[in-house]
Amino acid sequence: MSLCLLYARSLCPTASCRLSPAASAPPSLPPPPPAPATLRLSPASTSPACALQCSHFQSCSGCTHELNLHRPSVVDDAADFFKSLGVSDFTFDSCKLWGWRCRAKLAVRGSSVDPLIGLYQEGTHSVVDIPNCKAHHPNINAAMELLKQGIKELGIEPHDEDQGTGDLRYVQMAVTTYNTSIPASERYQHGQVQVALVWNSRNENSPNSDKLNALAHFLWRNGGSKCKVPFIHSVWANFQTSTSNVIFGNRWRHLLGDRDFWEHLGGIDVSLAPSSFGQANTRAFNSLLRKLQKYVPYGASVTDLYAGSGVIGLSLAATRKCRSVRCVEINKESKLSFEKTVERLPKYVDSSISWHQADTSVEPTSWLVGSDVIVVDPPRKGLEASLVGALQTLPAWELKTRSSPESFKTKEEKRPWVLRAREASVQVGNDLSEENRHSVPQTLIYISCGWESFKEDCKSLLSSKAWHLEKAHGFNFFPGTQSIEVLAVFKRRENMHIKKKKAGKKKKKSPAKKQKALMHQEVMT
C-alpha cells in the first residue's frame, strides 16, 4: 500500500443530535456528513449513532465515555445552572462527533522495532498506542502510521524516561484545512499535517542530528508536496532534554515544507506557529467565534485577555469593525503569529490594534478600563482572583474617576511590569488609549473550557451586583469527554454607582418660622 494513500481513511460524519432510535452506528465508509446541529435541550438519546465505538477506549485516557457523544451529561448541569440564574434559552452545539481533533500532542515510547505513539494510560506513564483513534482527524492517524514506519526503517530509538535515553520523545501533529486551491467543502477532508518532532537533544548540532534529518526527509518524501496525494504540510523539530513533564523545550527549528501554517477562523486568515496555542477542534471554535461576534457592537472598543496570538480580538476587528482592539497575552511565543495574522487582515480594517505581553493578574484594572467590551478566555483553572476582584469593583472605580478625574492623569511610568509590557507590545494604527482611558466596559464575554471553575467565577461576578448574566451557549469541543466549552455574556447593571437618597418626611416649620417666611415674601414682592 502506497504511503501517500494512507490519508484516505474516511472521515467520520458530523452528527446531528436529532437522531432517531433506529439510526445505525457510523460505518467504516460513512456517507457525506450532514450539517452540524445546534440543539435545544431534549432528553438524551442512547442511539448507537452517537456512540464512540473505538477499539482503544478501555485503555486510552483520552475519552471518558462511549455513549451520547452528542450530549454529555454535564449539559444537564449547565442547563439547570443557567436556568437558576434566569437564562432559560441555553443552547448546545453538538459539533462534529468523530474525526474532530485537528491538534494532538502524543508520547513516543516502546522500541525502534515496536514503537508506541499515543497517550498515557490513566494514572501511569505507560503509553497506549492509538493508531485508529476515532477523535483524530484521519490524516493525523495516517501521519502516525507513516512516522512509525520511519522509526522502524531508520532505527530511531523512542525515549526511555527511566534511563533518559532515546531520540524521539513526543510528536505534535496539527492539521491545517486552509487550501484555497480546492472547493471549501473538500478542505477539511484534505487537511494536511504539520509534524513537530520533540528530539532528545539540546540543539540541531547534537550527535543524533543525522537521525533527525533522516526521519524528517522520510516523512516528507512519503507524504510531502511531491507525493501524489500529499498529507504532510511541514516538519519541525523541537529540542528538549528536561526530565520534567514539560513537552516542549525553548528551541525550535523548521526542517521541511511550508514554514507558515494558516487556518481560516472567524472570518480571517490566522497564522499559528507550532509553539503557539491552537484549539484542537477548529470547526467547533469557528462556530463559537461566529456566535461571539453577534454580541459585540459595531465600532466597539475591545480588550481580549488571555489572547494567545489574538485570534478572537482580530476576528472582531475584521467582522465588527472595532474602533480599537487590545490583545493581552503572557506567552511571548504568540507575538510572531499575531504579527503575521495582522498582515493578512482585510484592507478595510481600520482599527487601532495592539498586542501586549503581560500578566493580567497584576493590576488588572489597567487592562479593563478604556474598553466597551472585555473578552476573557482563561485556562481551565478560570480567572485569577485579582481579575475577578477588579471586575467586581469596576463601579467603584468609575465613581472615583468621575468625582476626582485629576487624580487619574497620566504620570511618568516607573513600574517594571508595565515597562516590560510596553517594550514587548505591538501597535498597529493610531493608539486610541488616551481617548478612552476613563471608559468602563459594559459587556463581559467569558469563554470557558473549565465548567467547575466557570461556575465559581460566575457566582462571584454576580454576587457583586455589578453584572448580570444575559446569554449562555455551550459547544461540544471534546466529544467523548465530560468537558464542554461555554460562551457566557454578562452585561453591566445600569447606574450601579449612583446611590439613591432615601425619601424622608419633610419637617414641619414652627409657627414663628412660618410667619417670618411670609413677611420675607411680602418684602420681596
Side-chain angles (χ1 to χ4, degrees), residues 175-211:
V175 176
T176 171
T177 63
Y178 185 90
N179 187 347
T180 56
S181 65
I182 60 177
S185 60
E186 300 177 14
R187 291 175 190 173
Y188 192 86
Q189 178 182 355
H190 293 282
Q192 295 187 342
V193 185
Q194 177 196 71
V195 180
L197 305 169
V198 183
W199 205 247
N200 190 32
S201 63
R202 292 184 178 276
N203 53 51
E204 60 269 35
N205 299 318
S206 298
N208 60 354
S209 61
D210 290 345
K211 288 184 177 181

Short mmCIF file of all heavy atoms in Angstrom, two decimals, residues 175-211:
data_model
loop_
_atom_site.label_atom_id
_atom_site.label_comp_id
_atom_site.label_asym_id
_atom_site.label_seq_id
_atom_site.Cartn_x
_atom_site.Cartn_y
_atom_site.Cartn_z
N VAL A 175 -3.34 19.87 12.13
CA VAL A 175 -3.92 19.82 10.78
C VAL A 175 -4.36 21.21 10.35
O VAL A 175 -5.05 21.92 11.10
CB VAL A 175 -5.14 18.87 10.75
CG1 VAL A 175 -5.81 18.90 9.37
CG2 VAL A 175 -4.70 17.45 11.09
N THR A 176 -3.97 21.59 9.14
CA THR A 176 -4.50 22.81 8.54
C THR A 176 -5.43 22.44 7.40
O THR A 176 -5.11 21.58 6.56
CB THR A 176 -3.39 23.72 8.00
OG1 THR A 176 -3.98 24.80 7.25
CG2 THR A 176 -2.39 22.99 7.12
N THR A 177 -6.61 23.04 7.40
CA THR A 177 -7.57 22.80 6.33
C THR A 177 -7.60 23.99 5.37
O THR A 177 -8.53 24.14 4.59
CB THR A 177 -8.98 22.54 6.90
OG1 THR A 177 -9.43 23.70 7.61
CG2 THR A 177 -8.95 21.36 7.85
N TYR A 178 -6.57 24.83 5.47
CA TYR A 178 -6.51 26.04 4.64
C TYR A 178 -5.89 25.67 3.29
O TYR A 178 -4.69 25.45 3.17
CB TYR A 178 -5.67 27.10 5.34
CG TYR A 178 -5.64 28.43 4.63
CD1 TYR A 178 -6.60 29.40 4.91
CD2 TYR A 178 -4.67 28.73 3.69
CE1 TYR A 178 -6.59 30.63 4.27
CE2 TYR A 178 -4.65 29.96 3.04
CZ TYR A 178 -5.62 30.90 3.33
OH TYR A 178 -5.61 32.12 2.70
N ASN A 179 -6.73 25.57 2.27
CA ASN A 179 -6.25 25.25 0.93
C ASN A 179 -7.22 25.87 -0.06
O ASN A 179 -8.25 25.29 -0.40
CB ASN A 179 -6.17 23.74 0.74
CG ASN A 179 -5.52 23.36 -0.59
OD1 ASN A 179 -5.35 24.20 -1.47
ND2 ASN A 179 -5.17 22.09 -0.74
N THR A 180 -6.90 27.05 -0.53
CA THR A 180 -7.81 27.80 -1.40
C THR A 180 -7.86 27.24 -2.82
O THR A 180 -8.66 27.70 -3.63
CB THR A 180 -7.40 29.28 -1.45
OG1 THR A 180 -6.02 29.37 -1.87
CG2 THR A 180 -7.55 29.92 -0.09
N SER A 181 -7.02 26.25 -3.12
CA SER A 181 -6.99 25.69 -4.48
C SER A 181 -8.08 24.64 -4.70
O SER A 181 -8.29 24.20 -5.82
CB SER A 181 -5.62 25.06 -4.77
OG SER A 181 -5.38 23.95 -3.93
N ILE A 182 -8.77 24.24 -3.62
CA ILE A 182 -9.85 23.26 -3.75
C ILE A 182 -11.13 23.83 -3.17
O ILE A 182 -11.08 24.78 -2.37
CB ILE A 182 -9.49 21.92 -3.05
CG1 ILE A 182 -9.24 22.14 -1.55
CG2 ILE A 182 -8.27 21.27 -3.70
CD1 ILE A 182 -8.96 20.85 -0.79
N PRO A 183 -12.29 23.30 -3.54
CA PRO A 183 -13.57 23.82 -3.02
C PRO A 183 -13.61 23.77 -1.49
O PRO A 183 -13.05 22.87 -0.87
CB PRO A 183 -14.61 22.88 -3.63
CG PRO A 183 -13.96 22.33 -4.85
CD PRO A 183 -12.50 22.23 -4.54
N ALA A 184 -14.28 24.75 -0.90
CA ALA A 184 -14.33 24.85 0.56
C ALA A 184 -14.91 23.59 1.20
O ALA A 184 -14.49 23.19 2.29
CB ALA A 184 -15.16 26.08 0.96
N SER A 185 -15.86 22.94 0.53
CA SER A 185 -16.49 21.76 1.09
C SER A 185 -15.53 20.57 1.19
O SER A 185 -15.80 19.61 1.92
CB SER A 185 -17.70 21.35 0.23
OG SER A 185 -17.28 21.07 -1.11
N GLU A 186 -14.40 20.61 0.47
CA GLU A 186 -13.46 19.50 0.46
C GLU A 186 -12.21 19.76 1.31
O GLU A 186 -11.37 18.87 1.46
CB GLU A 186 -13.02 19.20 -0.98
CG GLU A 186 -14.17 18.81 -1.90
CD GLU A 186 -13.71 18.60 -3.34
OE1 GLU A 186 -12.48 18.50 -3.55
OE2 GLU A 186 -14.56 18.56 -4.24
N ARG A 187 -12.09 20.95 1.86
CA ARG A 187 -10.85 21.33 2.52
C ARG A 187 -10.59 20.56 3.81
O ARG A 187 -9.45 20.22 4.10
CB ARG A 187 -10.83 22.84 2.78
CG ARG A 187 -10.74 23.65 1.49
CD ARG A 187 -10.85 25.15 1.73
NE ARG A 187 -11.00 25.85 0.46
CZ ARG A 187 -11.26 27.14 0.34
NH1 ARG A 187 -11.43 27.89 1.44
NH2 ARG A 187 -11.39 27.68 -0.86
N TYR A 188 -11.63 20.30 4.56
CA TYR A 188 -11.43 19.57 5.81
C TYR A 188 -10.94 18.15 5.52
O TYR A 188 -10.02 17.65 6.16
CB TYR A 188 -12.72 19.53 6.63
CG TYR A 188 -12.50 19.05 8.05
CD1 TYR A 188 -12.13 19.94 9.05
CD2 TYR A 188 -12.64 17.70 8.38
CE1 TYR A 188 -11.91 19.50 10.35
CE2 TYR A 188 -12.43 17.25 9.67
CZ TYR A 188 -12.06 18.16 10.65
OH TYR A 188 -11.83 17.72 11.93
N GLN A 189 -11.55 17.51 4.57
CA GLN A 189 -11.18 16.15 4.21
C GLN A 189 -9.73 16.06 3.78
O GLN A 189 -9.04 15.07 4.05
CB GLN A 189 -12.09 15.64 3.10
CG GLN A 189 -11.77 14.23 2.61
CD GLN A 189 -12.66 13.79 1.47
OE1 GLN A 189 -13.59 14.52 1.10
NE2 GLN A 189 -12.39 12.63 0.90
N HIS A 190 -9.25 17.09 3.09
CA HIS A 190 -7.88 17.07 2.56
C HIS A 190 -6.91 17.87 3.44
O HIS A 190 -5.90 18.37 2.95
CB HIS A 190 -7.88 17.63 1.14
CG HIS A 190 -8.61 16.76 0.15
ND1 HIS A 190 -8.07 15.61 -0.39
CD2 HIS A 190 -9.86 16.86 -0.37
CE1 HIS A 190 -8.93 15.05 -1.21
NE2 HIS A 190 -10.04 15.79 -1.22
N GLY A 191 -7.21 17.97 4.72
CA GLY A 191 -6.32 18.69 5.63
C GLY A 191 -4.92 18.08 5.66
O GLY A 191 -4.75 16.85 5.56
N GLN A 192 -3.92 18.94 5.80
CA GLN A 192 -2.53 18.48 5.83
C GLN A 192 -1.93 18.68 7.23
O GLN A 192 -2.32 19.59 7.96
CB GLN A 192 -1.70 19.24 4.80
CG GLN A 192 -2.14 18.95 3.37
CD GLN A 192 -1.22 19.57 2.35
OE1 GLN A 192 -0.44 20.48 2.64
NE2 GLN A 192 -1.30 19.09 1.11
N VAL A 193 -0.98 17.81 7.59
CA VAL A 193 -0.48 17.72 8.95
C VAL A 193 0.90 18.35 9.10
O VAL A 193 1.83 17.99 8.38
CB VAL A 193 -0.41 16.25 9.41
CG1 VAL A 193 0.00 16.16 10.88
CG2 VAL A 193 -1.75 15.55 9.20
N GLN A 194 0.99 19.28 10.01
CA GLN A 194 2.30 19.81 10.44
C GLN A 194 2.82 18.89 11.54
O GLN A 194 2.18 18.73 12.57
CB GLN A 194 2.14 21.24 10.96
CG GLN A 194 3.41 21.87 11.49
CD GLN A 194 3.12 23.10 12.33
OE1 GLN A 194 2.60 22.99 13.44
NE2 GLN A 194 3.42 24.27 11.80
N VAL A 195 3.98 18.28 11.30
CA VAL A 195 4.57 17.34 12.25
C VAL A 195 5.73 18.01 12.98
O VAL A 195 6.68 18.48 12.36
CB VAL A 195 5.08 16.07 11.54
CG1 VAL A 195 5.68 15.10 12.55
CG2 VAL A 195 3.95 15.40 10.76
N ALA A 196 5.63 18.08 14.32
CA ALA A 196 6.70 18.66 15.14
C ALA A 196 7.30 17.54 15.99
O ALA A 196 6.63 16.98 16.87
CB ALA A 196 6.17 19.77 16.02
N LEU A 197 8.55 17.20 15.73
CA LEU A 197 9.25 16.12 16.42
C LEU A 197 10.00 16.68 17.62
O LEU A 197 10.82 17.58 17.46
CB LEU A 197 10.24 15.44 15.46
CG LEU A 197 9.64 14.91 14.15
CD1 LEU A 197 10.76 14.52 13.19
CD2 LEU A 197 8.71 13.73 14.42
N VAL A 198 9.69 16.19 18.81
CA VAL A 198 10.39 16.64 20.02
C VAL A 198 11.59 15.72 20.23
O VAL A 198 11.44 14.56 20.60
CB VAL A 198 9.46 16.63 21.24
CG1 VAL A 198 10.19 17.16 22.46
CG2 VAL A 198 8.21 17.46 20.96
N TRP A 199 12.77 16.26 19.96
CA TRP A 199 14.00 15.48 19.88
C TRP A 199 14.80 15.59 21.18
O TRP A 199 14.90 16.67 21.76
CB TRP A 199 14.85 15.98 18.71
CG TRP A 199 15.78 14.98 18.14
CD1 TRP A 199 17.15 15.01 18.18
CD2 TRP A 199 15.44 13.80 17.39
NE1 TRP A 199 17.67 13.93 17.53
CE2 TRP A 199 16.65 13.17 17.03
CE3 TRP A 199 14.23 13.22 17.02
CZ2 TRP A 199 16.67 11.98 16.30
CZ3 TRP A 199 14.26 12.04 16.28
CH2 TRP A 199 15.46 11.44 15.95
N ASN A 200 15.33 14.47 21.61
CA ASN A 200 16.03 14.40 22.90
C ASN A 200 17.48 14.88 22.75
O ASN A 200 18.43 14.09 22.83
CB ASN A 200 15.99 12.96 23.43
CG ASN A 200 16.47 12.87 24.87
OD1 ASN A 200 16.29 13.80 25.65
ND2 ASN A 200 17.10 11.75 25.23
N SER A 201 17.63 16.16 22.51
CA SER A 201 18.96 16.78 22.42
C SER A 201 18.83 18.27 22.67
O SER A 201 17.73 18.82 22.65
CB SER A 201 19.60 16.52 21.05
OG SER A 201 18.83 17.13 20.03
N ARG A 202 19.97 18.90 22.87
CA ARG A 202 19.95 20.33 23.21
C ARG A 202 19.68 21.21 21.99
O ARG A 202 19.06 22.26 22.09
CB ARG A 202 21.27 20.75 23.86
CG ARG A 202 21.48 20.12 25.24
CD ARG A 202 22.76 20.63 25.89
NE ARG A 202 22.94 20.07 27.21
CZ ARG A 202 22.38 20.55 28.31
NH1 ARG A 202 21.61 21.62 28.24
NH2 ARG A 202 22.60 19.97 29.48
N ASN A 203 20.18 20.79 20.83
CA ASN A 203 20.03 21.60 19.63
C ASN A 203 20.27 20.73 18.39
O ASN A 203 20.51 19.52 18.51
CB ASN A 203 20.97 22.80 19.64
CG ASN A 203 22.42 22.41 19.89
OD1 ASN A 203 22.95 21.52 19.22
ND2 ASN A 203 23.06 23.03 20.89
N GLU A 204 20.23 21.37 17.24
CA GLU A 204 20.39 20.65 15.97
C GLU A 204 21.81 20.18 15.71
O GLU A 204 22.06 19.45 14.74
CB GLU A 204 19.91 21.52 14.80
CG GLU A 204 20.65 22.83 14.64
CD GLU A 204 20.00 23.97 15.40
OE1 GLU A 204 19.45 23.73 16.49
OE2 GLU A 204 20.05 25.11 14.89
N ASN A 205 22.77 20.57 16.54
CA ASN A 205 24.16 20.17 16.35
C ASN A 205 24.57 18.99 17.23
O ASN A 205 25.75 18.64 17.29
CB ASN A 205 25.10 21.36 16.64
CG ASN A 205 24.83 22.53 15.70
OD1 ASN A 205 24.61 22.32 14.50
ND2 ASN A 205 24.83 23.74 16.24
N SER A 206 23.60 18.40 17.91
CA SER A 206 23.91 17.26 18.77
C SER A 206 24.25 16.02 17.93
O SER A 206 23.91 15.95 16.74
CB SER A 206 22.72 16.96 19.68
OG SER A 206 22.46 18.07 20.52
N PRO A 207 24.92 15.03 18.54
CA PRO A 207 25.37 13.84 17.79
C PRO A 207 24.27 13.09 17.05
O PRO A 207 24.54 12.47 16.02
CB PRO A 207 25.99 12.97 18.90
CG PRO A 207 26.44 13.94 19.94
CD PRO A 207 25.40 15.03 19.92
N ASN A 208 23.04 13.11 17.56
CA ASN A 208 21.98 12.34 16.91
C ASN A 208 21.19 13.14 15.88
O ASN A 208 20.11 12.73 15.46
CB ASN A 208 21.03 11.75 17.95
CG ASN A 208 20.36 12.83 18.80
OD1 ASN A 208 20.68 14.01 18.69
ND2 ASN A 208 19.43 12.41 19.66
N SER A 209 21.73 14.28 15.45
CA SER A 209 21.00 15.14 14.50
C SER A 209 20.86 14.49 13.13
O SER A 209 19.91 14.79 12.39
CB SER A 209 21.70 16.49 14.36
OG SER A 209 23.03 16.33 13.88
N ASP A 210 21.79 13.59 12.76
CA ASP A 210 21.68 12.91 11.47
C ASP A 210 20.40 12.07 11.41
O ASP A 210 19.73 12.01 10.37
CB ASP A 210 22.90 12.02 11.23
CG ASP A 210 24.17 12.82 10.97
OD1 ASP A 210 24.04 14.03 10.70
OD2 ASP A 210 25.27 12.24 11.05
N LYS A 211 20.06 11.42 12.53
CA LYS A 211 18.85 10.62 12.58
C LYS A 211 17.61 11.51 12.45
O LYS A 211 16.62 11.13 11.81
CB LYS A 211 18.78 9.83 13.88
CG LYS A 211 19.77 8.68 13.97
CD LYS A 211 19.53 7.90 15.26
CE LYS A 211 20.45 6.69 15.36
NZ LYS A 211 20.20 5.91 16.61
#
